C-alpha cells in the first residue's frame, strides 16, 4: 500500500498522481462524465409529476434551475481549473472559509452520495427483478453494488470506461428521442401515430401557465434535485491527463448540455402531448411521448435507459463518495486509512467504507423503509442545495486567492463577479426558503438536512478549535 499525504494543504493540488491517485481518466472519459453527470435518472422518472404540476410552464422551471446550475458550475470551474484536486469544493471551502467549512460540506456531500447509492441500487434492482423475477430484489441490489464496487476498485480508468458507455447510451437515447419526437411534432415522421400539433399544445389547454405563475416555483422544487451530479467532473479532473483543459471544456459546455438534454427533451414531451394527459403521469413523460408516436415496446425501451441512468448514477456516486472520503482523509478530517491508495492508485479503504454504508442503507430500505430509511432520505434531501450555496460563498473569497497566488491559472472566470455570484446565492436561498414554506416532504427535507448539517458543523468547529489549540501549544 502506498500512503497518500494526510497533512496536505487543502486547496493545493499536487501533480497528477502525487497524492497517490493516478491520472487514469482520458479526455473522452471526462467529456462523458461531464455530460452524464447532468443527465440523471430523475430526468426520466420525475419529469411527469413536474409537468402535471406546472403544465408547459415546467420549461421555465427547468430553465431557472438550469441557469442556477450553470452559474454554480462556472464558479466551481473557476476554482477547479486553477486548482484541480480530488476534494474539489470541500478543499476550496477548507482553504477559503476555514477547516470547519471543508470538514462540514465534505462529510455532508459524502453522506448525500452514500444514501443515493441505496436509492439507485434499490431502483435498479426493481427493474432487474421485473425482468428476471426468479432472482429476489435484494439479491439484484447486492449484485449491482458488488459489480460496480469491483470496477471502482480495479482502477480509475475502469470507472471512467464504465461511465463513458453508460453516459453514451443516455446521450444517444435522448438525442434520438429529440430528433424523432421533433419530426413527429410537425407531422413529418413517417408512420407516426401522433397527429403533429407543432407547438399548439403549449398554449391550447389552459394556456402556457394553466395553474398560474406560482406553479413555476412548485416545478422548481420538483426538478431541482435531478440536476445534482454536474459537479462530479471537477472531482474527477484531479485524476485526468489534463485537468485544466477538462474543467474548462466541462464548464463551457454546461449551457448547451442543459439546454439540449433537459429543455430540448421536455419541450418535445409537452409539444407532443397535452400537459394534462393522464398518460404522462401514469406511464411517465417519455414513455407517454413515445407511445403517442407509435414506438413499439416504449415502456421496456425506457426501462433499459432508466436502468442505464441508475447504474451510471450508482457508479459515479460510489466514485464521488470515495474521492471525497479520500480528500477528507488527506486533510486529517477522516480516518487515515481513507487517504491510502494501493499500487493501482485506488483509495481502496475509502471505496469500501463508502459502499459498506451504502449497502447498510439498502438494508434499511428493505427492513425499515418508512422509518430509518425515510429519515436518511429526508436528512440528505436538501444537501445538494447546501453544496451549491457553499460553492458560491467559497468562490467569493477564492477569487482573491487565485489572483494573489495563481494568476497564471485563472483560465475560467465567473461572469459579472461578484454580482452574479450574489444573485445565485439569493436564488438558492430563495429555493430553500420556498421549500420550507411549501410544507410537506419539502419542509421536512430542509429541516432534517439542516439538523444533520448543524450537527456536522458543530463537530467541525470543535475539531478546528482543537487543532488550533494544538498548533499554539507546539
Amino acid at each position: 500500500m502506498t500512503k497518500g499525504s494526510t497533512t496536505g494543504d487543502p486547496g493545493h493540488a499536487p501533480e497528477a498522481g502525487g497524492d497517490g491517485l493516478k491520472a487514469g481518466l482520458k479526455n473522452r472519459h471526462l467529456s462523458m462524465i461531464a455530460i452524464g453527470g447532468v443527465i440523471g435518472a430523475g430526468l426520466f422518472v420525475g419529469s411527469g409529476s413536474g409537468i402535471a404540476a406546472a403544465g408547459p410552464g415546467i420549461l421555465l422551471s427547468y430553465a431557472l434551475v438550469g441557469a442556477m446550475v450553470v452559474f454554480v458550475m462556472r464558479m466551481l470551474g473557476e476554482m477547479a481549473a486553477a486548482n484541480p484536486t480530488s476534494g474539489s469544493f470541500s478543499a476550496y471551502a477548507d482553504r477559503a472559509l476555514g477547516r470547519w467549512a471543508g470538514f462540514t460540506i465534505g462529510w455532508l456531500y459524502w453522506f448525500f452520495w452514500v444514501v443515493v447509492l441505496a436509492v439507485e441500487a434499490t431502483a435498479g434492482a426493481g427493474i432487474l427483478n421485473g425482468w428476471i423475477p426468479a432472482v429476489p430484489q435484494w439479491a439484484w441490489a447486492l449484485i449491482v453494488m458488488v459489480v460496480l464496487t469491483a470496477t471502482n476498485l480495479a482502477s480509475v480508468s475502469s470507472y471512467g470506461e464504465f461511465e463513458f458507455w453508460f453516459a453514451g447510451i443516455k446521450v444517444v437515447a435522448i438525442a434520438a428521442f429529440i430528433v424523432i419526437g421533433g419530426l413527429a411534432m410537425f407531422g413529418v415522421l413517417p408512420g407516426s401515430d401522433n397527429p403533429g400539433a407543432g407547438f399548439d399544445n403549449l398554449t391550447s389547454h389552459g394556456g402556457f401557465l394553466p395553474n398560474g405563475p406560482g406553479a413555476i416555483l412548485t416545478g422548481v422544487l420538483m426538478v431541482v434535485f435531478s440536476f445534482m451530479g454536474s459537479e462530479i467532473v471537477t472531482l474527477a479532473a484531479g485524476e485526468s491527463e489534463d485537468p485544466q483543459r477538462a474543467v474548462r471544456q466541462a464548464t463551457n459546455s454546461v449551457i448547451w448540455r442543459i439546454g439540449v438534454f433537459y429543455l430540448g427533451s421536455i419541450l418535445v414531451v409537452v409539444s407532443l402531448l397535452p400537459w394534462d394527459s393522464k398518460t404522462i403521469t401514469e406511464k411517465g413523460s417519455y414513455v407517454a411521448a413515445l407511445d403517442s408516436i407509435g414506438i413499439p415496446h416504449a415502456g421496456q425501451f425506457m426501462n433499459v435507459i432508466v436502468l442505464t441512468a441508475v447504474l451510471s448514477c450508482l457508479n459515479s456516486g460510489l466514485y464521488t463518495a470515495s474521492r471525497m472520503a479520500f480528500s477528507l482523509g488527506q486533510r486529517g478530517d477522516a480516518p487515515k486509512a481513507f487517504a491510502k491508495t494501493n499500487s493501482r492508485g485506488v483509495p481502496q479503504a475509502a471505496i469500501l467504507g463508502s459502499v459498506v454504508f451504502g449497502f447498510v442503507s439498502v438494508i434499511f430500505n428493505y427492513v425499515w423503509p418508512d422509518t430509518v430509511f425515510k429519515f436518511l432520505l429526508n436528512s440528505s434531501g436538501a444537501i445538494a442545495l447546501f453544496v451549491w450555496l457553499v460553492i458560491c460563498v467559497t468562490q467569493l473569497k477564492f477569487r482573491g486567492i487565485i489572483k494573489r497566488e495563481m494568476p497564471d491559472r485563472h483560465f475560467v472566470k465567473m461572469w459579472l463577479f461578484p454580482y452574479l455570484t450574489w444573485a445565485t446565492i439569493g436564488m438558492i436561498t430563495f429555493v430553500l426558503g420556498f421549500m420550507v414554506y411549501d410544507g410537506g416532504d419539502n419542509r421536512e427535507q430542509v429541516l432534517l438536512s439542516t439538523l444533520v448539517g448543524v450537527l456536522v458543523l458543530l463537530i467541525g468547529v470543535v475539531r478546528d478549535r482543537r487543532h488550533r489549540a494544538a498548533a499554539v501549544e507546539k
Side-chain angles (χ1 to χ4, degrees):
M1 302 285 281
T2 303
K3 186 175 181 180
S5 167
T6 58
T7 57
D9 187 7
H12 283 287
E15 295 298 319
D19 55 0
L21 299 175
K22 290 187 177 179
L25 294 176
K26 302 180 186 302
N27 286 329
R28 66 182 178 88
H29 292 152
L30 264 293
S31 297
M32 276 301 180
I33 289 170
I35 295 173
V38 172
I39 308 170
L43 174 61
F44 301 104
V45 178
S47 54
S49 57
I51 293 170
I58 194 67
L59 288 166
L60 296 181
S61 303
Y62 274 106
L64 284 171
V65 179
M68 192 164 69
V69 172
V70 167
F71 298 152
V72 170
M73 278 299 294
R74 186 73 183 182
M75 288 179 248
L76 185 54
E78 177 178 273
M79 297 183 285
N83 193 193
T85 177
S86 61
S88 188
F89 51 84
S90 172
Y92 308 141
D94 196 317
R95 189 169 179 205
L97 305 177
R99 187 165 185 173
W100 59 270
F103 174 92
T104 303
I105 204 61
W107 276 113
L108 287 178
Y109 192 67
W110 178 87
F111 174 58
F112 172 85
W113 278 111
V114 292
V115 173
V116 167
L117 292 182
V119 174
E120 301 298 341
T122 305
I127 295 173
L128 291 166
N129 179 251
W131 292 341
I132 309 176
V135 179
Q137 192 168 339
W138 67 264
W140 277 123
L142 177 61
I143 291 168
V144 166
M145 292 280 275
V146 168
V147 169
L148 292 180
T149 299
T151 64
N152 274 266
L153 285 172
S155 66
V156 68
S157 60
S158 297
Y159 155 72
E161 201 62 35
F162 266 73
E163 192 56 28
F164 176 81
W165 291 105
F166 285 151
I169 292 171
K170 290 189 292 185
V171 169
V172 170
I174 292 186
F177 175 80
I178 292 173
V179 171
I180 294 171
L183 293 174
M185 279 168 54
F186 297 101
V188 294
L189 182 68
S192 173
D193 295 340
N194 194 292
F199 295 111
D200 288 350
N201 281 329
L202 297 180
T203 56
S204 60
H205 292 263
F208 186 70
L209 296 172
N211 296 325
I216 297 172
L217 295 177
T218 303
V220 164
L221 301 188
M222 292 182 166
V223 307
V224 66
F225 298 108
S226 65
F227 284 84
M228 190 62 177
S230 54
E231 70 290 330
I232 291 174
V233 68
T234 64
L235 281 86
E239 292 176 83
S240 69
E241 297 168 338
D242 187 353
Q244 280 87 2
R245 179 172 175 267
V247 169
R248 201 159 57 236
Q249 287 182 339
T251 304
N252 291 336
S253 64
V254 70
I255 299 174
W256 71 259
R257 286 186 274 126
I258 288 174
V260 171
F261 296 124
Y262 276 85
L263 293 177
S265 62
I266 297 299
L267 175 62
V268 168
V269 171
V270 293
S271 297
L272 284 174
L273 292 166
W275 70 271
D276 53 357
S277 171
K278 291 183 179 179
T279 58
I280 290 179
T281 51
E282 290 173 354
K283 298 180 179 179
S285 54
Y286 290 84
V287 173
L290 291 174
D291 276 346
S292 77
I293 297 172
I295 302 293
H297 310 295
Q300 287 303 318
F301 171 75
M302 284 310 302
N303 270 340
V304 173
I305 303 304
V306 170
L307 178 62
T308 302
V310 164
L311 294 177
S312 171
C313 189
L314 192 60
N315 191 39
S316 288
L318 182 52
Y319 171 85
T320 305
S322 65
R323 279 359 181 231
M324 185 57 74
F326 170 79
S327 176
L328 288 165
Q330 273 197 313
R331 289 176 267 148
D333 289 333
K336 290 183 179 180
F338 284 2
K340 295 179 180 180
T341 58
N342 60 21
S343 58
R344 297 185 301 278
V346 173
Q348 188 169 296
I351 291 174
L352 292 175
S354 300
V355 80
V356 164
F357 192 96
F359 196 72
V360 168
S361 298
V362 172
I363 295 172
F364 287 155
N365 194 12
Y366 286 117
V367 180
W368 299 294
D370 298 322
T371 52
V372 178
F373 187 72
K374 185 178 181 181
F375 171 80
L376 290 177
L377 203 60
N378 284 333
S379 61
S380 65
I383 286 175
L385 291 167
F386 294 167
V387 168
W388 293 345
L389 194 60
V390 169
I391 289 171
C392 296
V393 176
T394 300
Q395 191 260 344
L396 284 172
K397 296 197 69 175
F398 209 81
R399 165 69 74 94
I401 295 173
I402 295 174
K403 281 189 170 183
R404 186 170 60 252
E405 301 180 17
M406 42 192 124
D408 56 320
R409 285 184 276 167
H410 201 184
F411 305 114
V412 179
K413 297 181 180 179
M414 177 59 185
W415 308 296
L416 299 176
F417 178 83
Y419 308 109
L420 203 49
T421 299
W422 280 111
T424 308
I425 290 173
M427 290 169 66
I428 298 170
T429 304
F430 177 81
V431 171
L432 285 167
F434 190 72
M435 287 178 71
V436 174
Y437 171 79
D438 192 57
D441 286 343
N442 287 321
R443 177 181 295 168
E444 189 174 359
Q445 285 183 11
V446 174
L447 296 179
L448 286 178
S449 295
T450 301
L451 174 63
V452 171
V454 169
L455 290 174
V456 177
L457 173 63
L458 290 174
I459 295 171
V461 170
V462 170
R463 284 175 58 86
D464 190 27
R465 288 184 176 178
R466 285 182 178 177
H467 283 296
R468 289 175 184 272
V472 170
E473 288 177 7
K474 290 181 180 180

